[in-house]
Amino acid sequence: MSERVGAAGRVLLERARARMVALRAEQFRLLEDIAALEAAGVAEQTGDRGTSRLVGDLWHVDAHDAKRWCDEAADLTARVSLLGESLPPRLAATATVAAAGEIGPGHVAVIRRTMARLERVDSVSVEQWGQAEATLAEQATWLAPRQLAKAAEALLARLDPDGVAPDDGQDCRDELVWVRRRRDGSLAFKGRLHDPLDAEAFCEVIDGLSEPCGPDDRRELGRRRADGLKDLVQDARRPGGLTTHIDDTGIDTDIDGPDPDTGEPGEPGEAGPSGTAAEEDALIPVPRRPEPRPTPARPSAPVERAGRALLTITMDHRWLRAAIGHATLDSGQRVAAATVRRWACDAEVVPVVLGSRAEPLDIGRATRTVPDALRRALNLRDGGCAHPGCDRRPRRCHAHHIRHWGQGGDTCLANLVLLCRYHHRLIHHGHWQVTIVDGLPWFTPPPWIDPDRRPRPGGRPRVPL
């Protein structure tokens, strides 16, 4: 464990935290001033078309920024009814935490965008709408805007499960286009995969091939991904790969290959325009490949080809059977039920039901390492790095013993949590604390992050039922 933060460091951390809280609170005061300008009709007195135009000229800001501030002021400040009665802000919970300086403009933008989408869902009641806004306002106090957006997507998925279905007439063409082939032989290309499961499988394969080769691997992520794609192509071109044809003897055969001069398809052994088949073959060097080992006679069998990728898809079984709702991939991407049913016809489906099939989800002190069945359960529960705000996928995470195995900690779900490499090191510094409450991980921050040290839920974004 590293040394504790000293007194001087704590003073600096507290001063920086207090300054950001004050800045955010002052930003909310600015919205209140804008609302006051609107209520007093000052824009009419100055001859401006509206308050947003007045704000833009007053502070020399772009028109879209001025309009956004006016819209935020309308949502986060007190209102007056047609009868002159005072009404709370439209987004009351968000206004409370914004006034206290606990959230910033980025959080407000996510909440406003999400609540606008929920207004268009007919099945959402007024009570549910208010509970959703309060939930997002609370989560915004410990999540960055990007992570709050993921939590908002999870909330939308629960309140509007059919919202992920593609629009009618959506273009579903996949494409891979050579953008430019340079004179030096280099190639630039672009492509698109519309099917989210195809995209997930592609990312899983490329990410697996782009892992650093060791501590001395200094390649950037983009370079490693490119090298992984090249490795995939080379593997497909090897003897027995996806792009080669192999008969029972193990010798490559070019079936119906095109004639090099006419471009027309030909048969094996067919003579070209300049001579016999033997003369043509004499001009082509034999590929340098190892001689096939003699094997006992056996009936002809088709060459095995690569099958569909094995993906982890989390979905309510009732939704899958009824073709409603949605499923969630490891990346957090939601896909329509119809897409999952189509893939289930041609993929290996691994049911992940905690504690079923006599899988050893609790193996006690038998071993320190996490077996496959327990790791699958851990992946499903945490969905990746469980630290609040982190979005690392399960394949890039370690299974961390909350109570160290060497100190008597068991290898079981109640004592394990998924952490990426960075947050694994952070937890071992000892400033953050992890506990399992009702089967889910909770993280208690150090005092310089939250003076009250309020526990925060970890794992994949969840919305109360």
Side-chain angles (χ1 to χ4, degrees):
M1 183 179 298
S2 65
E3 296 182 0
R4 296 290 179 177
V5 178
R10 288 178 178 271
V11 170
L12 294 175
L13 288 168
E14 177 58 27
R15 187 175 68 187
R17 190 193 65 82
R19 195 180 301 278
M20 176 56 70
V21 170
L23 175 61
R24 288 173 169 175
E26 194 62 28
Q27 289 172 332
F28 182 80
R29 303 283 93 77
L30 185 63
L31 296 182
E32 291 182 323
D33 291 340
I34 294 175
L37 290 173
E38 174 68 21
V42 176
E44 297 178 1
Q45 303 173 22
T46 60
D48 288 286
R49 292 189 222 177
T51 303
S52 62
R53 177 61 65 89
L54 172 62
V55 167
D57 293 339
L58 184 64
W59 295 320
H60 312 294
V61 297
D62 293 332
H64 67 275
D65 287 331
K67 184 179 184 307
R68 175 172 58 82
W69 289 342
C70 290
D71 292 341
E72 290 177 355
D75 285 340
L76 300 181
T77 58
R79 300 168 294 167
V80 178
S81 69
L82 296 177
L83 299 178
E85 299 173 338
S86 178
L87 298 176
R90 177 174 173 271
L91 302 177
T94 305
T96 299
V97 293
E102 296 185 68
I103 65 174
H107 302 97
V108 172
V110 172
I111 296 175
R112 292 185 64 245
R113 182 170 63 247
T114 304
M115 302 315 297
R117 285 182 57 183
L118 280 179
E119 284 184 337
R120 300 193 294 269
V121 181
D122 296 334
S123 60
V124 175
S125 65
V126 176
E127 292 75 14
Q128 289 176 315
W129 191 91
Q131 292 173 358
E133 190 259 336
T135 297
L136 290 178
E138 179 187 4
Q139 292 177 328
T141 60
W142 67 74
L143 292 177
R146 179 182 174 186
Q147 301 306 322
L148 181 64
K150 292 182 179 294
E153 285 296 322
L155 186 146
L156 288 169
R158 182 172 296 280
L159 296 179
D160 183 23
D162 292 325
V164 297
D167 298 332
D168 294 337
Q170 179 181 357
D171 184 11
C172 292
R173 291 187 307 161
D174 294 341
E175 62 179 359
L176 182 62
V177 181
W178 306 150
V179 177
R180 186 181 301 107
R181 189 67 185 265
R182 301 177 182 272
R183 290 184 178 181
D184 61 1
S186 61
L187 174 68
F189 56 87
K190 68 177 182 179
R192 174 178 296 180
L193 297 175
H194 286 84
D195 190 316
L197 289 176
D198 285 333
E200 185 80 0
F202 180 83
C203 292
E204 287 285 337
V205 171
I206 297 301
D207 283 348
L209 294 174
S210 60
E211 291 284 353
C213 297
D216 296 330
D217 190 349
R218 304 300 181 186
R219 295 174 299 164
E220 298 290 338
L221 178 59
R223 172 66 183 277
R224 297 202 310 268
R225 284 176 174 167
D227 290 343
L229 182 60
K230 290 186 291 185
D231 291 341
L232 189 64
V233 172
Q234 292 298 328
D235 184 75
R237 297 179 66 242
R238 66 176 174 79
L242 189 62
T243 60
T244 58
H245 299 277
I246 304 177
D247 59 18
D248 291 337
T249 63
I251 303 298
D252 280 7
T253 57
D254 183 10
I255 302 175
D256 293 336
D259 185 279
D261 295 323
T262 65
E264 297 295 330
E267 294 294 333
E270 179 182 357
S274 61
T276 65
E279 292 172 346
E280 291 294 322
D281 291 342
L283 299 177
I284 302 175
V286 178
R288 292 188 175 182
R289 288 175 180 162
E291 292 293 333
R293 296 182 179 180
T295 57
R298 56 179 175 83
S300 299
V303 178
E304 292 185 1
R305 297 298 183 200
R308 302 301 292 269
L310 176 61
L311 301 177
T312 301
I313 304 174
T314 305
M315 185 178 188
D316 190 310
H317 187 255
R318 295 167 297 178
W319 286 1
L320 179 61
R321 295 182 62 182
I324 62 174
H326 66 275
T328 305
L329 305 178
D330 272 349
S331 62
Q333 176 68 39
R334 294 182 290 128
V335 294
T339 303
V340 176
R341 293 190 70 179
R342 173 170 55 81
W343 267 65
C345 294
D346 189 29
E348 181 181 356
V349 178
V350 177
V352 184
V353 182
L354 305 187
S356 72
R357 300 178 182 271
E359 290 185 319
L361 298 186
D362 190 338
I363 59 177
R365 298 283 301 162
T367 178
R368 182 181 63 84
T369 58
V370 179
D372 292 342
L374 184 55
R375 178 62 187 238
R376 286 200 299 270
L378 196 58
N379 291 350
L380 177 63
R381 187 195 70 186
D382 295 348
C385 179
H387 196 278
C390 187
D391 57 2
R392 284 285 188 177
R393 294 189 178 192
R395 70 161 53 243
R396 295 182 177 274
C397 295
H398 306 155
H400 167 71
H401 286 74
I402 298 174
R403 183 185 181 191
H404 196 273
W405 190 82
Q407 298 175 352
D410 291 338
T411 302
C412 61
L413 276 178
N415 192 47
L416 291 171
V417 63
L418 278 187
L419 295 171
C420 67
R421 186 185 302 274
Y422 169 76
H423 286 114
H424 200 176
R425 290 198 302 264
L426 188 66
I427 291 297
H428 276 279
H429 279 304
H431 304 308
W432 285 79
Q433 296 177 2
V434 188
T435 54
I436 301 296
V437 180
D438 295 331
L440 299 177
W442 285 72
F443 292 76
T444 302
W448 55 84
I449 299 296
D450 181 4
D452 298 328
R453 302 205 68 187
R454 294 168 294 181
R456 307 175 180 184
R460 65 172 75 240
R462 292 177 174 85
V463 180
L465 293 174

